[in-house]
Amino acid sequence: MKPDVRICANVEELSLRAAEAAVRTVNEAARGVGRCSLVLSGGSTPRTLYGVLASQFEKDIPWAQLHIFWGDERYVPLVDPKSNYRMAREALLEHVPCPPANIHPMPTHFPSPDAAARDYEATLRGFFAGERACFDLVRLGLGAEGHTASLFPGSPVLAETTRWVRATSAPADPPTRLTLTWPALTGARNIYVLVAGSNKAHALGHVFGDAPDPRVYPASRIRLAEGSVIWWVDREAVGGLLP
Ligand code: 6PG
């Protein structure tokens, strides 16, 4: 199936259009079942989106019905400048009326990252009450070498078939991370992948190329049997690869 790619002029336009679509998606979910699960992640691209949601769209989001989770986290204290939770808190959460009980950061205070991963998995399994994970909206990014969330090329975590959350060691700073696994991500109803900057063009070319190897370009596995995936991509990231 052809990927749904929305090409935007730059990160500002991409963030605005993704925010408009996210508002529709979370309202539909909240109207349907009375609550909506939104998964955030890190990096610099989503910071603009989070800022737009907090300012232009603050009044359009049913915050009391929204539950916020993370797709990955760097294993540092939540107050650390490298923390994905801290970035989302500063750019979005401290500016909006989301009830604190609805905000579910990945824990990073356990001596063992694996214990933290198991604890977060228990939180998620409790939220989904024994059913499979089916997040209403997951926001992901694309790393320049093809990773998404903290699913990095060659990682043994890519082969996970049972657990929803794993600790992992990544060739990135900081190396120790927690990440949702494919079994947790592929039941999502909607995934938005935000990709900006010319350093992404190479990986994007492979992700959209013929038969990409998901062990080498993990983001090429972002496909949903039932849900919708939208790639919000800026012109620099597209390079010369797409029309
Ligand atoms: C992280 C991420 C990671 C990120 C990509 C893209 O914690 O590093 O969650 O998967 O989304 O590295 O980041 P940019 O969009 O900032 O390039």
Side-chain angles (χ1 to χ4, degrees):
M1 206 177 72
K2 251 185 97 191
D4 182 349
V5 184
R6 314 282 172 96
I7 299 175
C8 305
N10 49 37
V11 72
E12 285 76 24
E13 187 197 330
L14 171 161
S15 303
L16 183 63
R17 289 179 56 192
E20 286 167 347
V23 166
R24 282 194 296 277
T25 299
V26 300
N27 277 288
E28 270 164 32
R31 265 198 306 274
V33 291
R35 72 175 191 182
C36 173
S37 49
L38 171 65
V39 176
L40 305 178
S41 52
S44 54
T45 312
R47 193 185 287 269
T48 311
L49 169 71
Y50 297 166
V52 171
L53 289 172
S55 52
Q56 280 164 264
F57 296 100
E58 192 247 308
K59 300 265 179 295
D60 303 312
I61 294 173
W63 295 105
Q65 291 163 285
L66 202 61
H67 283 261
I68 299 187
F69 298 93
W70 270 259
D72 75 327
E73 183 56 278
R74 293 105 182 255
Y75 209 72
V76 292
L78 297 180
V79 293
D80 190 286
K82 289 179 181 155
S83 160
N84 287 346
Y85 164 77
R86 177 175 164 167
M87 190 278 275
R89 179 170 61 73
E90 290 178 349
L92 172 64
L93 301 172
E94 65 190 21
H95 310 287
V96 299
C98 189
N102 290 9
I103 300 174
H104 310 277
M106 288 182 156
T108 57
H109 60 278
F110 287 77
S112 138
D114 184 56
R118 290 177 189 276
D119 180 81
Y120 201 61
E121 177 152 345
T123 300
L124 295 180
R125 290 198 185 264
F127 183 80
F128 289 110
E131 302 292 321
R132 67 180 185 138
C134 53
F135 296 106
D136 292 301
L137 177 57
V138 179
R139 193 317 297 184
L140 292 174
L142 171 70
E145 83 302 55
H147 79 264
T148 191
S150 281
L151 298 165
F152 281 79
S155 167
V157 173
L158 295 170
E160 179 62 55
T161 56
T162 315
R163 288 181 56 187
W164 290 2
V165 189
R166 287 280 304 268
T168 186
S169 180
D173 176 35
T176 305
R177 289 156 179 247
L178 303 179
T179 187
L180 296 190
T181 59
W182 292 124
L185 291 168
T186 51
R189 297 199 168 94
N190 297 277
I191 294 182
Y192 292 178
V193 196
L194 269 59
V195 188
S198 56
N199 63 328
K200 307 293 171 67
H202 179 79
L204 202 60
H206 282 279
V207 166
F208 293 150
D210 291 334
D213 183 344
R215 286 164 306 179
V216 182
Y217 295 98
S220 64
R221 205 175 148 188
I222 307 176
R223 294 207 165 86
L224 299 176
E226 292 167 30
S228 128
V229 180
I230 302 177
W231 292 79
W232 304 91
V233 179
D234 83 348
R235 286 239 156 256
E236 284 193 3
V238 168
L241 298 160
L242 292 169

